Amino acid sequence: MTKQTFSISRTYHERTKYDPDTINQRVPNIDWDRPPVPFKEYPIGTTIDLKPHIGDRQTVLSRLSHLLYCTYGVTARIPQIARQDLFLRAAPSAGGLYPAEVYLLSQVDGELPQGLYNYQVRDHSLVRFWDSDPSAALKSACFSHPALENAPFVVITTAVFFRSSWRYQDRAYRRIHLDTGHLLGNLELAAALTDYRPDLIGGFRDQGLNDLLYLNGEEEGAIAVVALQERQQATGDRSFATALASETDRDYPELPDGSLLAYLHQASAIDSAPSQSESAQEPATDEGDNREDKYNFPFCTKVSTVSHPLDWGEGGTGLEATLLQRRSTRAYQGGAEIELEQVKALLNFAYQPQPVSQLSSRNPSESSPDSWELPNFCDRDLIQTFVASTAVDGLDDGCYYYAPQAQELRQIRFKNFRRELHFLCLGQDLGRDAAMVVFHTADLDGAIARWGDRAYRYLHLDAGHLGQRLNLAATHLNLGVSGIAGFFDDRVNDVLGIPPDEAVLYITTLGQPRSSRRP
């Protein structure tokens, strides 16, 4: 069998691109009468109903009830005539397929006994399917990550691959990680509301976590781990590595269509403890920050995006309402403008440190006014952001690079791209009618050089996380917002003037909404 020499991540990316010349030849044969079941059931186990605990945040169960509901709970139910009803959740998902499963591990005996729990989304409950202490196996799988040491609870998200691949085939791997990034964005903020500090762990031994959760790794696999420490007791040090490198698979067989997703997931797994040099890698932090923005185009127009943080109300009451009210916009009022100040607020919330007092349920006086936090990403420095403006009052039409360190937009092309955006977004009216379209990109080869094939997971997790922060900020500002994971990959760079080394990961559209919304 012929061997390939390119990395499997790069090959996967190239082979799952959409192209206008071939997209009609790739129409999948979907059995619409047999959609995947978006819920997991356990025939045995102890069930803990979380609904009676949703009213306050004074007990462990009430805090966890709030956290899980704001992260992934069912927020609406749409009856279907010929199929199963559609249960919309707090986090968006491509096609409303919801491939993620959420597990809660209790490492302490108390109100929630030690054991392994699956979050039963449909009825907002926990099913305890194993009652032993998971700490030893968890620490082994996560290479004794320091965030686990004082964490009473740990959330593990997994993906049931077929739920998404049923419709999106191999390209579903992109959407699975974007969807998980949405969920992580919610979890991060829900943890703040319930006085936990979340620490993301992206580097772990995959087989160890799959074994711990009793998963068939070919059907369902671990995607992310989040340790929940008590905020008042958490240490200030967050310099430990979130991500770890996997091997880079450059010697693999020819893979037929339909096998790329499974192969990439296995190839990007981590099997053994990292070397000392790998484990010593530390993510950039906002303290003593000397990072630089990647692009500084000469002689370009620069627009400051400095803005005050969003006001979420006392104890984050507005944040919780936003988490539960968010819906993806189905249609925009084409040509209707949004304000530059709204754009600044969106970018501030997505990329800049936020005051803890605005995100916590504690009395603001209990938090230091100088206490600021950035979201916990795998490697946010790998993600670049470009903005196409078509109807922003106070901002010229064109394509801009967003420089998060300098907090400014740097214009790289002068044009109204409305027609081109319609084309790039596969003819979706969302691209044409939005007032602004945000593109998240990354130097894919550079990311693979740093993190191996696992970089493909990290890039899409972080892009989805950033997209969810834009979703929530837009909802809070009464703007419409909707993510797009299907686009003509290579044409984006050519049309907008984005550097050719930047692989497009995700698109977020924003504008003035019409009344209808979608999952």
Side-chain angles (χ1 to χ4, degrees):
M1 187 176 290
T2 304
K3 296 287 185 178
Q4 307 294 312
T5 58
F6 217 23
S7 83
I8 184 60
S9 291
R10 166 56 77 177
T11 297
Y12 169 89
H13 188 73
E14 295 298 324
R15 285 183 56 183
T16 57
K17 287 180 176 179
Y18 289 150
D19 184 273
D21 296 330
T22 60
I23 192 168
N24 290 331
Q25 302 169 16
R26 302 176 63 172
V27 177
N29 183 20
I30 302 173
D31 186 352
W32 293 103
D33 294 328
R34 296 184 179 181
V37 177
F39 302 103
K40 189 170 184 178
E41 297 182 351
Y42 285 84
I44 59 173
T46 303
T47 298
I48 299 175
D49 188 359
L50 294 176
K51 292 187 290 296
H53 302 280
I54 201 71
D56 62 59
R57 303 180 207 167
Q58 304 305 312
T59 66
V60 168
L61 281 179
S62 67
R63 292 166 66 196
L64 292 174
S65 178
H66 269 86
L67 182 144
L68 292 170
Y69 189 63
C70 289
T71 297
Y72 208 47
V74 171
T75 55
R77 178 174 179 170
I78 301 177
Q80 305 285 311
I81 297 176
R83 305 177 199 161
Q84 59 191 5
D85 290 353
L86 179 61
F87 292 81
L88 305 185
R89 309 191 192 182
S93 173
L97 298 174
Y98 303 105
E101 284 289 328
V102 176
Y103 296 84
L104 182 69
L105 280 60
S106 175
Q107 300 195 102
V108 295
D109 258 330
E111 196 173 339
L112 187 71
Q114 288 179 333
L116 308 177
Y117 299 81
N118 176 265
Y119 177 46
Q120 297 281 287
V121 176
R122 187 161 35 184
D123 62 2
H124 189 54
S125 66
L126 288 171
V127 58
R128 187 188 189 199
F129 61 92
W130 193 253
D131 60 5
S132 62
D133 182 1
S135 300
L138 178 64
K139 290 176 182 177
S140 174
C142 295
F143 309 113
S144 298
H145 195 288
L148 296 173
E149 192 63 35
N150 297 312
F153 306 108
V154 177
V155 172
I156 300 178
T157 72
T158 69
V160 180
F161 304 117
F162 180 67
R163 289 183 192 168
S164 187
S165 65
W166 166 78
R167 178 170 179 178
Y168 297 115
Q169 284 70 53
D170 282 324
R171 192 170 169 120
Y173 203 62
R174 302 190 189 199
R175 289 175 164 89
I176 284 169
H177 286 83
L178 291 171
D179 282 357
T180 304
H182 299 150
L183 188 159
L184 293 175
N186 275 7
L187 176 56
E188 167 216 343
L189 296 168
L193 287 171
T194 51
D195 294 334
Y196 292 109
R197 193 188 77 177
D199 287 300
L200 173 63
I201 303 172
F204 49 80
R205 188 166 60 87
D206 294 62
Q207 189 61 51
L209 286 187
N210 291 345
D211 290 344
L212 174 62
L213 298 176
Y214 300 95
L215 306 181
N216 178 341
E218 295 182 359
E219 298 176 358
E220 179 182 359
I223 302 296
V225 179
V226 179
L228 299 175
Q229 298 188 48
E230 293 285 353
R231 182 171 292 277
Q232 294 88 337
Q233 301 172 11
T235 62
D237 179 22
R238 302 184 85 173
S239 62
F240 41 74
T242 298
L244 294 174
S246 69
E247 297 294 327
T248 302
D249 187 354
R250 300 186 185 278
D251 185 24
Y252 53 91
E254 289 188 4
L255 297 166
D257 290 344
S259 65
L260 290 168
L261 186 157
Y263 193 94
L264 175 57
H265 185 70
Q266 182 58 44
S268 60
I270 296 174
D271 298 322
S272 58
S275 66
Q276 186 174 358
S277 60
E278 289 173 331
S279 61
Q281 292 189 68
E282 297 180 356
T285 66
D286 54 314
E287 298 180 7
D289 200 343
N290 59 0
R291 290 178 294 173
E292 295 183 355
D293 296 304
K294 185 174 182 178
Y295 296 110
N296 190 11
F297 303 99
F299 312 114
C300 67
T301 299
K302 298 181 179 181
V303 179
S304 173
T305 61
V306 174
S307 175
H308 295 294
L310 290 172
D311 183 1
W312 295 103
E314 183 174 347
T317 53
L319 176 57
E320 179 169 348
T322 298
L323 285 165
L324 300 178
Q325 293 170 1
R326 179 221 56 82
R327 285 286 179 269
S328 297
T329 300
R330 184 180 293 275
Y332 297 112
Q333 302 175 37
E337 291 184 329
I338 63 176
E339 302 295 324
L340 178 57
E341 291 304 314
Q342 293 175 312
V343 174
K344 293 180 179 180
L346 290 165
L347 295 172
N348 179 283
F349 184 68
Y351 290 89
Q352 304 304 323
Q354 301 297 307
V356 174
S357 60
Q358 279 287 299
L359 304 178
S360 174
S361 63
R362 285 180 294 165
N363 188 309
S365 62
E366 298 176 22
S367 299
S368 167
D370 298 323
S371 182
W372 297 71
E373 281 191 359
L374 266 175
N376 196 203
F377 291 95
C378 297
D379 190 346
R380 190 186 65 135
D381 287 350
L382 296 174
I383 305 292
Q384 305 303 319
T385 301
F386 296 85
V387 175
S389 168
T390 59
V392 178
D393 185 18
L395 186 67
D396 291 338
D397 293 346
C399 184
Y400 297 78
Y401 167 67
Y402 173 60
Q405 304 308 313
Q407 295 190 62
E408 63 186 18
L409 290 167
R410 299 170 178 173
Q411 192 168 24
I412 56 177
R413 282 212 172 159
F414 304 81
K415 182 180 177 180
N416 185 300
F417 287 102
R418 189 176 300 280
R419 178 179 296 179
E420 289 86 349
L421 291 169
H422 188 226
F423 165 73
L424 294 174
C425 296
L426 309 187
Q428 296 182 68
D429 291 348
L430 290 170
R432 180 195 65 200
D433 297 336
M436 181 177 86
V437 180
V438 177
F439 296 83
H440 288 119
T441 72
D443 175 358
L444 180 55
D445 292 332
I448 294 170
R450 181 171 187 183
W451 298 117
D453 284 315
R454 204 173 185 91
Y456 209 81
R457 302 191 193 187
Y458 299 153
L459 293 175
H460 288 82
L461 287 173
D462 285 351
H465 191 162
L466 286 168
Q468 183 65 354
R469 288 184 76 90
L470 291 174
N471 288 339
L472 296 171
T475 300
H476 184 66
L477 295 169
N478 295 316
L479 295 176
V481 60
S482 188
I484 293 179
F487 43 82
F488 291 132
D489 299 66
D490 291 336
R491 303 298 179 94
V492 172
N493 303 64
D494 295 338
V495 169
L496 300 180
I498 294 174
D501 290 342
E502 296 292 334
V504 182
L505 306 172
Y506 195 29
I507 294 175
T508 300
T509 63
L510 300 115
Q512 296 291 354
R514 293 183 186 174
S515 57
S516 60
R517 292 172 177 258
R518 64 185 178 90

